[in-house]
Amino acid sequence: MPKDTATPPPARRLFGTDGIRGTANQAPMDAATALRLGQAAGRYFNRGTHRHRVVIGKDTRLSGYMLEPALTAGFIGAGMDVVLVGPLPTPAIALLTRSLRADLGVMISASHNPYEDNGIKLFGPDGLKLTDEQECEIEALMAGDLTAAMVAPGRLGRASRLEDAPGRYIEAAKQSFPRGRTLEGLRIVVDCAHGAAYKVAPTVLWELGAEVVPVGVAPDGFNINKGVGSTAPGALATLVQERRADLGIALDGDADRLVLVDEAGQLIDGDQILALIARSWLAQDRLRGGAVVATVMSNMGLERFLATRGLGLLRTAVGDRYVGERMREAGCNLGGEQSGHMIMPDFGTTGDGLIAALQVLGVLVEEGRPASELLRCFAPLPQRLVNVRYAGASPLNDAGVKAAIASEEVALGTRGRVLIRASGTEPVIRVMAEAEEESLVEGTVARLADAIRAKARAA
């Protein structure tokens, strides 16, 4: 059985765990940086004599109107044709990059962050997120002289809009649902977070036969993820109960992840979704690699559940890109994150919240049992996560903080585990503990968070 790999990625200045991200109209998420990124990435992927092409999609943030033309100008100046598809989920951009034989795909989104933030994710011609090494090379090009990236006037690229892009993704999503099955008779509430899936997700569910109650489908440039979506599922849980729905689906701003709500209004996280899909695929002899890939954040309950079925859990560093890389190394076809990213290479190259929800709905239809039964595959161990914000240097470099972490690890021993890590997208230290006793978890997290806060205040 392959071993876990949770090696931290190499340090980069601009790129984090999921592309470049920051406050809109401030470096690095300003038009000037986007222009240079287009120039540098255009030069990096401008290989060979064929006509080069890049697909650019976005979510519904106001700042997308600033970043999209800046990127477009950079790519055109580097000799690449630009195909604009407008607001679409991140997995749709990965799909279109491959199906259009493009050299590069770009998604403008800050995922679950508020509208004030934005981000840029890059996909290679295979529809996969770039490796750390590729991102480092593009960063190096951005920091240097980009004169060589500028092509002669006769080689400038062109920009066009692909009008049928949403339809292509809708059909691909529908094809992932089990053949011969229908969603007729099911009432589903789908919360699109006023984000990239606000049109395509309700359409897919309705065309498969469901009665659809759409939420978060009126984007105005400012309301993405605001009180809706996978990071704020409270209103969805209430609505599911009020409408007596069979399932609630909550996507994030770019629809690459989800959480679910059962008919009783109870929240279902990514670990339970992974467990259900693994159980179903194993029974159908569809699960490959003898394991499921997840991150260091996944609950030990998932690991124990898989072990009872002869399956391993391979852990990686946090980030769906690292999950995908480990899946390819181990030959696995199911992986994801507790936060709701689900990667299923049978259907796509990156996390896809809608297609993951369709896999769950397929099991629900097949077994005819309520979601509250299906999606309680295991009893999770008590787990607590606290975010500690800081300014300046990371508190994790402090000797006192390191000593506090080591002390708690020794105290827990084999009864649990501690995970302390810096966020890849914001100045936050994430403090997590997990153990069989709730009191042990609470005390461990409280002491470690206090130690990190004390250092952050002193700094």
Side-chain angles (χ1 to χ4, degrees):
M1 184 74 67
K3 294 183 178 180
D4 295 354
T5 55
T7 305
R12 290 150 295 164
R13 186 176 63 87
L14 291 175
F15 287 90
T17 56
D18 200 15
I20 302 173
R21 193 173 296 185
T23 303
N25 214 25
Q26 297 179 19
M29 203 40 54
D30 56 4
T33 305
L35 175 66
R36 289 190 70 81
L37 176 60
Q39 293 170 333
R43 179 182 177 186
Y44 185 83
F45 283 94
N46 203 325
R47 304 164 179 174
T49 58
H50 66 281
R51 192 73 185 174
H52 293 78
R53 175 184 287 181
V54 55
V55 177
I56 301 180
K58 61 182 179 179
D59 63 21
T60 57
R61 295 163 209 271
L62 180 65
S63 55
Y65 290 103
M66 171 188 69
L67 297 171
E68 183 183 60
L71 283 162
T72 299
F75 284 120
I76 287 176
M80 299 190 83
D81 290 338
V82 176
V83 180
L84 301 170
V85 300
L88 275 181
T90 288
I93 305 310
L95 179 149
L96 289 168
T97 300
R98 289 196 304 166
S99 67
L100 295 174
R101 296 181 64 186
D103 301 273
L104 179 65
V106 180
M107 179 63 182
I108 304 169
S109 175
S111 190
H112 58 281
N113 286 25
Y115 90 91
E116 293 92 344
D117 295 337
N118 215 328
I120 301 172
K121 309 177 188 183
L122 303 181
F123 295 91
D126 52 7
L128 299 174
K129 291 183 178 179
L130 303 190
T131 64
D132 295 327
E133 291 71 25
Q134 287 175 310
E135 291 179 345
C136 286
E137 290 181 50
I138 291 173
E139 276 199 19
L141 288 173
M142 292 177 68
D145 184 359
L146 284 169
T147 303
M150 301 299 98
V151 300
R155 291 183 53 216
L156 288 170
R158 299 173 183 267
S160 61
R161 187 165 294 278
L162 183 65
E163 299 296 343
D164 71 336
R168 292 190 183 210
Y169 175 70
I170 287 170
E171 288 306 314
K174 287 164 59 179
Q175 288 299 314
S176 74
F177 193 68
R179 290 186 179 276
R181 300 288 183 180
T182 176
L183 294 177
E184 289 183 10
L186 293 182
R187 181 178 296 143
I188 301 170
V189 183
V190 58
D191 181 349
C192 300
H194 298 303
Y198 78 101
K199 287 185 178 179
V200 295
T203 300
V204 167
L205 295 168
W206 184 84
E207 290 186 1
L208 286 172
E211 177 186 341
V212 180
V213 181
V215 179
V217 291
D220 60 11
F222 303 97
N223 60 359
I224 187 170
N225 299 314
K226 187 175 182 180
V228 289
S230 62
T231 55
L236 173 66
T238 299
L239 187 58
V240 165
Q241 292 178 284
E242 289 177 352
R243 298 298 298 269
R244 297 184 179 180
D246 298 283
L247 190 69
I249 300 170
L251 304 171
D252 67 341
D254 67 336
D256 65 349
R257 69 176 180 176
L258 85 157
V259 296
L260 300 175
V261 171
D262 66 23
E263 81 283 358
Q266 297 301 304
L267 190 65
I268 311 296
D269 68 11
D271 284 346
Q272 297 284 2
I273 297 170
L274 277 175
L276 177 67
I277 297 175
R279 175 179 71 78
S280 174
W281 285 10
L282 182 65
Q284 300 172 43
D285 199 26
R286 293 174 53 194
L287 192 69
R288 298 195 302 271
V292 172
V293 180
T295 76
V296 290
M297 296 298 295
S298 278
N299 196 279
M300 290 173 64
L302 172 62
E303 191 167 359
R304 294 176 179 181
F305 170 82
L306 294 173
T308 63
R309 284 156 175 78
L311 300 173
L313 180 67
L314 308 181
R315 294 184 184 266
T316 75
V318 173
D320 65 323
R321 178 171 47 144
Y322 306 119
V323 172
E325 290 174 357
R326 185 65 174 122
M327 289 173 66
R328 291 187 289 278
E329 292 171 0
C332 298
N333 65 339
L334 178 61
E337 296 190 274
Q338 188 183 67
S339 60
H341 286 114
M342 298 291 128
I343 302 178
M344 297 163 288
D346 293 0
F347 306 117
T349 56
T350 190
D352 193 319
L354 177 58
I355 286 183
L358 290 175
Q359 299 310 297
V360 172
L361 284 165
V363 181
L364 192 149
V365 169
E366 180 181 356
E367 300 192 12
R369 296 161 57 199
S372 57
E373 292 182 15
L374 279 176
L375 289 160
R376 291 290 184 277
C377 294
F378 64 88
L381 270 67
Q383 190 181 78
R384 174 110 165 106
L385 174 67
V386 170
N387 293 324
V388 180
R389 190 167 292 273
Y390 67 93
S394 171
L396 296 185
N397 297 324
D398 178 70
V401 170
K402 291 179 180 179
I405 295 172
S407 174
E408 294 296 338
E409 289 176 334
V410 170
L412 277 178
T414 60
R415 294 179 296 168
R417 65 189 181 108
V418 167
L419 178 64
I420 314 293
R421 68 179 186 89
S423 167
T425 59
E426 54 185 332
V428 164
I429 303 298
R430 306 200 191 282
V431 182
M432 191 272 279
E434 184 178 61
E436 294 185 354
E437 303 164 29
E438 185 75 43
S439 60
L440 196 58
V441 171
E442 293 292 338
T444 300
V445 169
R447 288 187 294 271
L448 286 173
D450 285 346
I452 294 170
R453 286 193 194 98
K455 177 56 185 176
R457 284 194 297 269

